[in-house]
PDB file of all heavy atoms in Angstrom:
ATOM      1  N   GLU A  56     -14.120  37.151  55.624  1.00  0.00           N
ATOM      2  CA  GLU A  56     -12.777  37.519  55.987  1.00  0.00           C
ATOM      3  C   GLU A  56     -12.600  39.008  56.245  1.00  0.00           C
ATOM      4  O   GLU A  56     -13.190  39.832  55.510  1.00  0.00           O
ATOM      5  CB  GLU A  56     -11.791  37.106  54.873  1.00  0.00           C
ATOM      6  CG  GLU A  56     -10.364  37.248  55.250  1.00  0.00           C
ATOM      7  CD  GLU A  56      -9.413  36.690  54.160  1.00  0.00           C
ATOM      8  OE1 GLU A  56      -9.876  35.901  53.369  1.00  0.00           O
ATOM      9  OE2 GLU A  56      -8.265  37.186  54.146  1.00  0.00           O
ATOM     10  N   GLY A  57     -11.913  39.345  57.318  1.00  0.00           N
ATOM     11  CA  GLY A  57     -11.629  40.736  57.629  1.00  0.00           C
ATOM     12  C   GLY A  57     -12.728  41.447  58.383  1.00  0.00           C
ATOM     13  O   GLY A  57     -12.704  42.647  58.555  1.00  0.00           O
ATOM     14  N   VAL A  58     -13.725  40.676  58.866  1.00  0.00           N
ATOM     15  CA  VAL A  58     -14.820  41.255  59.597  1.00  0.00           C
ATOM     16  C   VAL A  58     -14.777  40.780  61.057  1.00  0.00           C
ATOM     17  O   VAL A  58     -14.583  39.618  61.340  1.00  0.00           O
ATOM     18  CB  VAL A  58     -16.201  40.842  58.973  1.00  0.00           C
ATOM     19  CG1 VAL A  58     -17.365  41.338  59.850  1.00  0.00           C
ATOM     20  CG2 VAL A  58     -16.330  41.450  57.596  1.00  0.00           C
ATOM     21  N   ALA A  59     -14.901  41.723  61.984  1.00  0.00           N
ATOM     22  CA  ALA A  59     -14.859  41.428  63.381  1.00  0.00           C
ATOM     23  C   ALA A  59     -16.266  41.651  63.990  1.00  0.00           C
ATOM     24  O   ALA A  59     -17.010  42.531  63.571  1.00  0.00           O
ATOM     25  CB  ALA A  59     -13.860  42.269  64.081  1.00  0.00           C
ATOM     26  N   HIS A  60     -16.597  40.880  65.020  1.00  0.00           N
ATOM     27  CA  HIS A  60     -17.826  41.046  65.797  1.00  0.00           C
ATOM     28  C   HIS A  60     -17.395  41.481  67.210  1.00  0.00           C
ATOM     29  O   HIS A  60     -16.638  40.754  67.857  1.00  0.00           O
ATOM     30  CB  HIS A  60     -18.655  39.789  65.875  1.00  0.00           C
ATOM     31  CG  HIS A  60     -19.769  39.838  66.838  1.00  0.00           C
ATOM     32  ND1 HIS A  60     -19.935  38.846  67.780  1.00  0.00           N
ATOM     33  CD2 HIS A  60     -20.757  40.734  67.077  1.00  0.00           C
ATOM     34  CE1 HIS A  60     -21.001  39.171  68.554  1.00  0.00           C
ATOM     35  NE2 HIS A  60     -21.499  40.289  68.120  1.00  0.00           N
ATOM     36  N   ILE A  61     -17.871  42.616  67.665  1.00  0.00           N
ATOM     37  CA  ILE A  61     -17.542  43.139  68.981  1.00  0.00           C
ATOM     38  C   ILE A  61     -18.827  43.352  69.736  1.00  0.00           C
ATOM     39  O   ILE A  61     -19.712  44.050  69.237  1.00  0.00           O
ATOM     40  CB  ILE A  61     -16.714  44.441  68.891  1.00  0.00           C
ATOM     41  CG1 ILE A  61     -15.409  44.159  68.177  1.00  0.00           C
ATOM     42  CG2 ILE A  61     -16.489  45.002  70.319  1.00  0.00           C
ATOM     43  CD1 ILE A  61     -14.600  45.405  67.897  1.00  0.00           C
ATOM     44  N   GLU A  62     -18.960  42.754  70.901  1.00  0.00           N
ATOM     45  CA  GLU A  62     -20.159  42.902  71.707  1.00  0.00           C
ATOM     46  C   GLU A  62     -19.818  43.861  72.860  1.00  0.00           C
ATOM     47  O   GLU A  62     -18.788  43.670  73.551  1.00  0.00           O
ATOM     48  CB  GLU A  62     -20.657  41.563  72.250  1.00  0.00           C
ATOM     49  CG  GLU A  62     -21.975  41.694  72.952  1.00  0.00           C
ATOM     50  CD  GLU A  62     -22.609  40.302  73.237  1.00  0.00           C
ATOM     51  OE1 GLU A  62     -21.970  39.296  72.906  1.00  0.00           O
ATOM     52  OE2 GLU A  62     -23.673  40.313  73.763  1.00  0.00           O
ATOM     53  N   ILE A  63     -20.646  44.804  73.069  1.00  0.00           N
ATOM     54  CA  ILE A  63     -20.472  45.869  74.125  1.00  0.00           C
ATOM     55  C   ILE A  63     -21.602  45.766  75.130  1.00  0.00           C
ATOM     56  O   ILE A  63     -22.738  45.733  74.711  1.00  0.00           O
ATOM     57  CB  ILE A  63     -20.368  47.254  73.517  1.00  0.00           C
ATOM     58  CG1 ILE A  63     -19.126  47.350  72.637  1.00  0.00           C
ATOM     59  CG2 ILE A  63     -20.335  48.313  74.640  1.00  0.00           C
ATOM     60  CD1 ILE A  63     -19.002  48.650  71.871  1.00  0.00           C
ATOM     61  N   ASP A  64     -21.223  45.651  76.399  1.00  0.00           N
ATOM     62  CA  ASP A  64     -22.231  45.642  77.456  1.00  0.00           C
ATOM     63  C   ASP A  64     -22.764  47.057  77.667  1.00  0.00           C
ATOM     64  O   ASP A  64     -22.066  47.921  78.142  1.00  0.00           O
ATOM     65  CB  ASP A  64     -21.612  45.114  78.755  1.00  0.00           C
ATOM     66  CG  ASP A  64     -22.618  44.991  79.899  1.00  0.00           C
ATOM     67  OD1 ASP A  64     -23.634  45.679  79.921  1.00  0.00           O
ATOM     68  OD2 ASP A  64     -22.368  44.179  80.796  1.00  0.00           O
ATOM     69  N   ALA A  65     -24.024  47.267  77.277  1.00  0.00           N
ATOM     70  CA  ALA A  65     -24.607  48.625  77.322  1.00  0.00           C
ATOM     71  C   ALA A  65     -24.708  49.146  78.734  1.00  0.00           C
ATOM     72  O   ALA A  65     -24.631  50.365  78.944  1.00  0.00           O
ATOM     73  CB  ALA A  65     -25.999  48.594  76.680  1.00  0.00           C
ATOM     74  N   GLU A  66     -24.841  48.270  79.725  1.00  0.00           N
ATOM     75  CA  GLU A  66     -24.932  48.724  81.084  1.00  0.00           C
ATOM     76  C   GLU A  66     -23.601  49.234  81.602  1.00  0.00           C
ATOM     77  O   GLU A  66     -23.543  50.123  82.478  1.00  0.00           O
ATOM     78  CB  GLU A  66     -25.467  47.595  81.965  1.00  0.00           C
ATOM     79  CG  GLU A  66     -26.926  47.234  81.606  1.00  0.00           C
ATOM     80  CD  GLU A  66     -27.391  46.015  82.325  1.00  0.00           C
ATOM     81  OE1 GLU A  66     -26.637  45.005  82.380  1.00  0.00           O
ATOM     82  OE2 GLU A  66     -28.562  45.980  82.772  1.00  0.00           O
ATOM     83  N   ARG A  67     -22.537  48.689  81.149  1.00  0.00           N
ATOM     84  CA  ARG A  67     -21.186  49.080  81.615  1.00  0.00           C
ATOM     85  C   ARG A  67     -20.662  50.323  80.855  1.00  0.00           C
ATOM     86  O   ARG A  67     -19.799  51.011  81.373  1.00  0.00           O
ATOM     87  CB  ARG A  67     -20.182  47.911  81.428  1.00  0.00           C
ATOM     88  CG  ARG A  67     -20.369  46.824  82.379  1.00  0.00           C
ATOM     89  CD  ARG A  67     -19.212  45.888  82.206  1.00  0.00           C
ATOM     90  NE  ARG A  67     -19.363  44.713  83.100  1.00  0.00           N
ATOM     91  CZ  ARG A  67     -18.712  43.563  82.968  1.00  0.00           C
ATOM     92  NH1 ARG A  67     -17.790  43.468  82.015  1.00  0.00           N
ATOM     93  NH2 ARG A  67     -18.934  42.605  83.773  1.00  0.00           N
ATOM     94  N   GLU A  68     -21.110  50.498  79.636  1.00  0.00           N
ATOM     95  CA  GLU A  68     -20.597  51.540  78.776  1.00  0.00           C
ATOM     96  C   GLU A  68     -21.621  52.601  78.569  1.00  0.00           C
ATOM     97  O   GLU A  68     -21.909  52.973  77.430  1.00  0.00           O
ATOM     98  CB  GLU A  68     -20.068  50.928  77.441  1.00  0.00           C
ATOM     99  CG  GLU A  68     -19.024  49.912  77.606  1.00  0.00           C
ATOM    100  CD  GLU A  68     -17.701  50.469  78.141  1.00  0.00           C
ATOM    101  OE1 GLU A  68     -17.477  51.687  78.002  1.00  0.00           O
ATOM    102  OE2 GLU A  68     -16.943  49.711  78.744  1.00  0.00           O
ATOM    103  N   LEU A  69     -22.138  53.150  79.640  1.00  0.00           N
ATOM    104  CA  LEU A  69     -23.246  54.116  79.537  1.00  0.00           C
ATOM    105  C   LEU A  69     -22.848  55.412  78.765  1.00  0.00           C
ATOM    106  O   LEU A  69     -23.680  55.953  78.011  1.00  0.00           O
ATOM    107  CB  LEU A  69     -23.813  54.493  80.892  1.00  0.00           C
ATOM    108  CG  LEU A  69     -24.638  53.391  81.568  1.00  0.00           C
ATOM    109  CD1 LEU A  69     -25.062  53.816  82.974  1.00  0.00           C
ATOM    110  CD2 LEU A  69     -25.854  53.070  80.728  1.00  0.00           C
ATOM    111  N   ASP A  70     -21.630  55.889  78.945  1.00  0.00           N
ATOM    112  CA  ASP A  70     -21.199  57.060  78.253  1.00  0.00           C
ATOM    113  C   ASP A  70     -21.230  56.862  76.725  1.00  0.00           C
ATOM    114  O   ASP A  70     -21.729  57.697  75.960  1.00  0.00           O
ATOM    115  CB  ASP A  70     -19.783  57.488  78.678  1.00  0.00           C
ATOM    116  CG  ASP A  70     -19.742  58.078  80.056  1.00  0.00           C
ATOM    117  OD1 ASP A  70     -20.793  58.477  80.553  1.00  0.00           O
ATOM    118  OD2 ASP A  70     -18.685  58.088  80.678  1.00  0.00           O
TER     119      ASP A  70
END
Side-chain angles (χ1 to χ4, degrees):
E56 187 175 337
V58 173
H60 169 231
I61 299 172
E62 188 169 2
I63 296 175
D64 183 335
E66 294 171 317
R67 287 188 185 164
E68 299 297 334
L69 287 176
D70 289 340

